[in-house]
């Protein structure tokens, strides 16, 4: 069946970041002094396990970034028409999760809806009971069979996942060389993750592992789809934050005088405005502009993606000030170093001093700040979507899931699983990012470099 590739703006920015990361990795591999801190990161078992978890999130996000439209059934002699629905490779891989929608809420692993409905019994009398789900546990003839079936499928899927983990461990052990402690930690984490993924995949084919939401969508599918939005907010925002903070911070610290005064005034004013109010005002203005130019977007997905990209732009404009302060202070210190003074005495141009001496010596601060800010940006999206000024309501994200789930927390019986799923996935993502950021910070710490050189 034919299809048409669709490249959203966020897709292009992700590909740009991947290309930049590839070039950076190639450059680092050619310079031993740049490679040394990353070797310290590789010796940390916590960093490698966190990177393994982040790699799983990244894999889901990248699969969800490859978009296309399927061709509709074509009449004889008619023009080929494509569906207005934009799908991704991830959507096709988990097609049962996407298409097996129920009528409304159902608990995790449930066989019936969460609320009673009026329905006829075998004698034709109308009774109040819990209707069976259309897809969840449909292969079972009796509710009493569920527990044994869940256990069996979990053991089979977990066993297959364990075999895959052992095979990957064997193959990686022959090609990669890692410290013994790190090797054991990564191997144990790999076996645990592959076993868990195998069990979930086996169960998700016939059950709603995390239940369903108000309109019957699988919560596991919604949680996995939210990963891409969180990753885009946490990474694409750096395309705005990094240039502003790097060039303005370095310029303020090196040139000083009126340049320093103007830049300080700008980021002091921005820092004085409550960030949530500033972001909310800019998002509302952006939303009004998009609504007034709806003819620019021929697909609903493109309109929602435009709001996501604009949100990244807004977050970048409002979050560069802290990194700019750090870079200004570091540049003021570097400017007084002997080799900078010598370069100025020999008439080396300011542009060459900035590019050859200043910027390479502040990149460790940039890297540490960007890695640590990733978690804050993911949480910021959840908070902004919760208050209604985040991503488009039609786009799946952790914030929109929490915003939808909060309305059901006060009902009786309480619908808790949607909120718990969003919280759990976001907790794992942010925790892994924070642990990896701590390892990167320790590896790039100049004091640690001096200690190692002394020993």
């Amino acid at each position: 069946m034919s299809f048409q590739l669709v490249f959203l703006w966020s897709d292009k920015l992700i590909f740009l970041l991947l290309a930049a990361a590839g070039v950076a990795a190639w450059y680092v591999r050619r310079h031993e002094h740049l490679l040394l801190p990353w070797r310290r990161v590789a010796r940390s078992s916590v960093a490698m396990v966190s990177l393994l978890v982040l790699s799983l999130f990244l894999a889901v996000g990248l699969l969800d970034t490859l978009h296309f439209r399927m061709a509709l059934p074509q009449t004889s002699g008619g023009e080929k028409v494509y569906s207005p629905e934009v799908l991704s490779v991830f959507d096709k891989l988990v097609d049962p999760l996407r298409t097996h929608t129920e009528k409304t809420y159902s608990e995790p692993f449930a066989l019936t809806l969460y609320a009673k409905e009026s329905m006829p019994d075998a004698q034709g009398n109308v009774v109040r009971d819990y209707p069976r789900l259309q897809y969840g546990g449909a292969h079972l003839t009796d509710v009493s069979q569920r527990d044994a079936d869940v256990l069996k499928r979990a053991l089979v899927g977990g066993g297959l996942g364990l075999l895959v983990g052992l095979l990957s461990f064997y193959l990686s052990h022959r090609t990669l060389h890692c410290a013994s402690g790190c090797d054991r930690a990564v191997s144990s984490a790999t076996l645990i993750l592959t076993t868990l993924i195998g069990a979930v995949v086996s169960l998700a084919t016939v059950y709603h592992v995390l239940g369903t939401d108000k309109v019957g969508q699988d919560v596991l599918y919604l949680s996995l789809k939210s990963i891409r939005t969180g990753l885009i907010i946490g990474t694409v925002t750096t395309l705005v934050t990094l240039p502003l903070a790097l060039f303005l911070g370095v310029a303020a610290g090196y040139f000083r005088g009126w340049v320093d005064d103007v830049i300080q005034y700008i980021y002091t004013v921005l820092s004085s405005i409550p960030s949530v109010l500033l972001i909310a005002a800019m998002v509302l203005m952006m939303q009004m502009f998009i609504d007034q130019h709806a003819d620019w977007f021929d697909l609903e997905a493109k309109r929602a993606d435009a709001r996501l990209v604009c949100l990244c732009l807004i977050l970048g404009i409002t979050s560069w000030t802290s990194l700019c302060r750090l870079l200004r202070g570091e540049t003021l210190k570097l400017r007084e170093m002997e080799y900078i003074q010598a370069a100025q005495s020999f008439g080396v141009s300011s542009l060459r001093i900035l590019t050859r001496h200043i910027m390479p010596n502040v990149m460790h601060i940039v890297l540490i700040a960007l890695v640590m800010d990733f978690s804050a940006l993911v949480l910021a999206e959840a908070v902004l979507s919760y208050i209604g000024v985040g991503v488009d309501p039609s786009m799946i994200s952790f914030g929109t899931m929490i915003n939808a789930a909060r309305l059901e927390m006060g009902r009786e019986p309480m619908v808790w699983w949607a909120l718990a799923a969003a919280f759990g996935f976001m907790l794992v993502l942010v925790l892994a990012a924070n642990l990896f950021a701590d390892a990167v910070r320790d590896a790039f710490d100049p004091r640690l470099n001096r200690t190692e050189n002394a020993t």
Side-chain angles (χ1 to χ4, degrees), residues 228-301:
R228 177 182 181 270
T229 307
L231 292 177
I232 288 177
I233 292 290
T235 55
V236 174
T237 305
T238 61
L239 292 175
V240 181
T241 302
L242 183 56
L244 287 173
L246 182 60
F247 293 112
L248 293 180
V250 169
Y254 181 79
F255 293 107
R256 299 187 295 186
W258 67 270
V259 175
D260 187 19
D261 293 338
V262 171
I263 294 175
Q264 280 194 78
Y265 178 79
I266 293 174
Y267 69 61
T268 301
V269 171
L270 280 177
S271 301
S272 302
I273 304 173
S275 58
V276 175
L277 296 180
L278 179 60
I279 293 172
M282 297 179 71
V283 167
L284 293 176
M285 292 172 58
M286 172 266 298
Q287 183 60 39
M288 182 181 299
F289 179 83
I290 291 178
D291 292 340
Q292 292 175 350
H293 299 82
D295 55 311
W296 290 4
F297 311 102
D298 57 340
L299 295 172
E300 175 67 20

Side-chain angles (χ1 to χ4, degrees), residues 363-384:
M363 289 310 295
H364 67 284
I365 296 178
V366 173
L367 181 61
I368 293 170
L370 293 182
V371 174
M372 297 187 71
D373 286 347
F374 172 83
S375 305
L377 291 170
V378 173
L379 295 174
E381 182 277 324
V383 173
L384 293 174

Side-chain angles (χ1 to χ4, degrees), residues 160-429:
L160 293 176
L162 182 61
L163 290 178
V164 173
L166 291 173
L167 179 61
S168 64
F169 167 71
Y170 172 74
L171 295 177
S172 62
H173 189 69
R174 296 184 59 183
T175 56
L176 300 178
H177 302 282
C178 188
S180 58
C182 175
D183 194 17
R184 289 192 297 269
V186 173
S187 301
S188 301
T190 301
L191 295 179
I192 293 173
L193 288 174
T194 53
T195 302
L196 179 61
I197 292 173
V200 171
V201 170
S202 177
L203 291 168
T205 56
V206 292
Y207 293 101
H208 298 292
V209 177
L210 297 179
T212 57
D213 65 355
K214 187 175 183 178
V215 295
Q217 286 186 297
D218 192 279
V219 173
L220 176 60
Y221 171 73
L222 297 177
S223 301
L224 293 173
K225 287 286 288 184
S226 300
I227 292 175
R228 177 182 181 270
T229 307
L231 292 177
I232 288 177
I233 292 290
T235 55
V236 174
T237 305
T238 61
L239 292 175
V240 181
T241 302
L242 183 56
L244 287 173
L246 182 60
F247 293 112
L248 293 180
V250 169
Y254 181 79
F255 293 107
R256 299 187 295 186
W258 67 270
V259 175
D260 187 19
D261 293 338
V262 171
I263 294 175
Q264 280 194 78
Y265 178 79
I266 293 174
Y267 69 61
T268 301
V269 171
L270 280 177
S271 301
S272 302
I273 304 173
S275 58
V276 175
L277 296 180
L278 179 60
I279 293 172
M282 297 179 71
V283 167
L284 293 176
M285 292 172 58
M286 172 266 298
Q287 183 60 39
M288 182 181 299
F289 179 83
I290 291 178
D291 292 340
Q292 292 175 350
H293 299 82
D295 55 311
W296 290 4
F297 311 102
D298 57 340
L299 295 172
E300 175 67 20
K302 290 185 178 181
R303 187 186 67 82
D305 184 74
R307 177 165 175 172
L308 175 62
V309 173
C310 290
L311 180 61
C312 294
L313 177 65
I314 292 169
L315 288 174
I317 292 175
T318 57
S319 61
W320 61 272
T321 54
S322 58
L323 178 57
C324 183
R325 280 197 184 97
L326 291 174
L327 293 176
R328 174 184 174 273
E330 185 69 14
T331 304
L332 285 173
K333 183 182 72 174
L334 292 173
R335 191 182 189 280
E336 305 303 324
M337 301 295 289
E338 290 82 358
Y339 63 91
I340 301 294
Q341 299 290 336
Q344 292 174 339
S345 300
F346 281 105
V348 179
S349 66
S350 298
L351 179 61
R352 186 170 181 82
I353 292 176
L354 289 173
T355 56
R356 297 281 294 180
H357 300 296
I358 299 294
M359 287 190 180
N361 285 287
V362 301
M363 289 310 295
H364 67 284
I365 296 178
V366 173
L367 181 61
I368 293 170
L370 293 182
V371 174
M372 297 187 71
D373 286 347
F374 172 83
S375 305
L377 291 170
V378 173
L379 295 174
E381 182 277 324
V383 173
L384 293 174
S385 297
Y386 176 78
I387 62 177
V389 293
V391 299
D392 192 85
S394 64
M395 178 169 286
I396 303 172
S397 72
F398 294 123
T400 54
M401 286 184 65
I402 294 173
N403 187 36
R406 70 180 176 88
L407 302 175
E408 310 301 330
M409 294 298 291
R411 62 170 286 170
E412 183 62 34
M414 182 175 65
V415 178
W416 53 269
W417 49 88
L419 181 63
F423 175 80
F425 273 82
M426 193 164 55
L427 173 65
V428 174
L429 175 60

Side-chain angles (χ1 to χ4, degrees), residues 115-121 125-131:
K116 289 184 177 182
E117 293 184 357
S118 298
M119 52 188 299
D121 60 5
N125 300 319
V126 177
V127 296
R128 296 284 294 177
D129 201 357
Y130 298 99

Side-chain angles (χ1 to χ4, degrees), residues 52-62 227-228 231 398 425-426 428-429 432:
L52 177 63
V53 176
L54 289 174
S55 299
L56 294 177
F57 282 94
L58 182 61
V60 173
L62 290 178
I227 292 175
R228 177 182 181 270
L231 292 177
F398 294 123
F425 273 82
M426 193 164 55
V428 174
L429 175 60

Side-chain angles (χ1 to χ4, degrees), residues 94-102 135:
V94 297
D95 195 61
L97 292 181
R98 182 178 66 89
T99 57
H100 290 180
T101 57
E102 307 293 347
Y135 299 103

